[in-house]
Amino acid sequence: MSKVYVIHENEEWTEHLFKRLEELEIPYEDWLLEQGAIDLTEEPPEGIFYNRMSASSHTRGNRYSPELASAVIGWLEAHGRTVINGSRALQLEVSKVLQYLELEKYGVRTPKTIAAVGKEELIRKAEAFEGQKFITKHNRAGKGLGVQLFQSVDALKEYVKGEDFEEPVDGITLIQEYIESPESFITRCEFVGGRFLYAVRVDTSDGFELCPADACTIDDLFCPAGDESASPTKFQIQKGFDHPVLQQYEQVLSANNIQIAGIEFIKDKNGTLYTYDINTNTNYNSDAEAVAEQYGMLEVAKYLGKKLNQARQKAYA
């Protein structure tokens, strides 16, 4: 019997999905890709495959999980299997450069960004931001990896040449203009089946690491998700949220064959909206969802069940 296969490298981030699939009595199989192998002479099983590979896998000791996932997904697609968030989604997940290029292609404004490899090149290119605040971040990131705020190129030079410099896993560091918002929050828009689900307002006053998943507290003490003692309103779902950018986001997702994602933006003091992240391994905050009575992972499970039923009907047609 065909089933849903979940491709991932982090058991904590799939626990909620598995519970929802069980609740809906949707058959599934766990494809944990911490390590593994593919026999290219074999055919994949029948079913629906959902890719939840994360750009931050290397922070959990799974350095090559995205590369393995890329090989697995290529194998699946070569055999005509349906992959939710397939190979193109994975390419964008592990590269903010590709994300920004795609967003700009569809008229979505992103912060001014320069990608650099090498410490000297990083310092040299930062001169384009002299006289204004700027940040660094990793190209293959997640969880706010490598995010640092600088007031000057001299401050960056001290960081880059010091012991605290955080080397990016793919060698690419981004230098980006700092978008100063009059209020300390960002907005994350969630999409399931390529359609807008809800927007969540995230309080950023405690720092840059903004993963909304409750599971983040397991291996990331700086992630505020699920931390009831810190602020019960850090994540708030915005009822009735609407904005013209949502249509552009849906166009970006459709063009890149991405069905499930969270897209984050911030507004500056003039109200100008800047989009800076597409997360194809989206997670949800249970406290915020309970208050709003909207449940992202339940919608994901329903969507996977629908796609599985469509695949079965096609097979028996």
Side-chain angles (χ1 to χ4, degrees):
M1 182 177 67
S2 61
K3 62 182 77 169
V4 173
Y5 296 84
V6 182
I7 298 167
H8 70 103
E9 55 78 38
N10 188 342
E11 293 177 296
E12 285 83 3
W13 287 357
T14 53
E15 179 183 352
H16 296 306
L17 174 60
F18 292 161
K19 286 180 179 178
R20 291 299 191 183
L21 290 170
E22 291 166 4
E23 178 183 316
L24 298 174
E25 298 183 340
I26 298 171
Y28 71 90
E29 187 170 317
D30 181 354
W31 277 18
L32 178 63
L33 297 189
E34 293 177 333
Q35 57 184 351
I38 316 164
D39 186 341
L40 300 183
T41 65
E42 294 184 356
E43 281 202 17
E46 297 291 341
I48 298 297
F49 300 81
Y50 174 30
N51 163 41
R52 285 184 54 81
M53 187 52 57
S54 170
S56 62
S57 63
H58 57 285
T59 68
R60 291 175 290 278
N62 301 321
R63 166 61 185 86
Y64 297 108
S65 288
E67 286 79 7
L68 177 57
S70 178
V72 169
I73 293 168
W75 173 60
L76 294 171
E77 291 176 342
H79 285 275
R81 301 298 187 263
T82 297
V83 183
I84 307 302
N85 285 9
S87 55
R88 181 58 176 167
L90 181 57
Q91 288 173 355
L92 267 64
E93 171 69 14
V94 298
S95 175
K96 292 195 180 298
V97 167
L98 293 183
Q99 292 179 23
Y100 298 153
L101 292 173
E102 283 302 302
L103 289 164
E104 291 283 349
K105 185 188 296 185
Y106 290 88
V108 179
R109 189 167 187 170
T110 62
K112 177 183 177 181
T113 304
I114 297 175
V117 174
K119 292 184 177 181
E120 293 304 323
E121 195 68 16
L122 180 60
I123 294 168
R124 190 171 71 85
K125 290 299 183 182
E127 293 174 0
F129 297 88
E130 189 62 271
Q132 59 182 299
K133 296 179 182 178
F134 61 91
I135 64 173
T136 58
K137 61 172 64 171
H138 290 180
N139 180 53
R140 182 187 289 198
K143 301 197 306 177
L145 287 174
V147 176
Q148 300 280 344
L149 173 63
F150 297 96
Q151 308 285 339
S152 68
V153 175
D154 285 341
L156 173 67
K157 189 180 300 184
E158 184 178 341
Y159 166 66
V160 169
K161 294 183 178 295
E163 295 181 357
D164 295 331
F165 179 67
E166 204 175 341
E167 289 279 1
V169 69
D170 65 354
I172 301 174
T173 297
L174 306 183
I175 318 164
Q176 190 172 91
E177 66 174 311
Y178 177 62
I179 308 301
E180 199 152 5
S181 175
E183 299 181 85
S184 297
F185 72 88
I186 60 94
T187 301
R188 180 181 174 108
C189 302
E190 298 292 354
F191 297 82
V192 175
R195 295 291 177 262
F196 176 66
L197 179 63
Y198 66 65
V200 58
R201 172 173 163 158
V202 185
D203 181 353
T204 62
S205 56
D206 289 341
F208 293 103
E209 299 189 9
L210 308 174
C211 171
D214 305 281
C216 283
T217 54
I218 293 172
D219 65 354
D220 184 2
L221 298 178
F222 294 100
C223 182
D227 188 353
E228 296 178 3
S229 63
S231 172
T233 59
K234 184 168 287 293
F235 297 88
Q236 292 181 301
I237 292 176
Q238 306 296 288
K239 287 285 189 179
F241 179 86
D242 191 25
H243 193 283
V245 78
L246 294 176
Q247 184 176 356
Q248 293 170 292
Y249 287 167
E250 290 184 356
Q251 290 174 339
V252 172
L253 297 180
S254 176
N256 288 278
N257 195 28
I258 299 172
Q259 292 78 31
I260 299 168
I263 303 180
E264 296 176 6
F265 71 78
I266 190 171
K267 289 183 179 180
D268 68 11
K269 61 184 178 181
N270 298 316
T272 303
L273 186 151
Y274 294 85
T275 302
Y276 62 89
D277 186 50
I278 301 175
N279 191 325
T280 65
N281 180 35
T282 192
N283 289 291
Y284 310 97
N285 183 269
S286 59
D287 291 338
E289 290 197 325
V291 171
E293 296 185 329
Q294 288 184 275
Y295 303 97
M297 207 61 90
L298 177 59
E299 295 304 317
V300 170
K302 288 179 179 178
Y303 176 72
L304 294 174
K306 176 183 175 181
K307 299 299 288 185
L308 182 61
N309 286 334
Q310 290 174 349
R312 287 173 173 172
Q313 290 171 5
K314 184 177 179 180
Y316 290 113

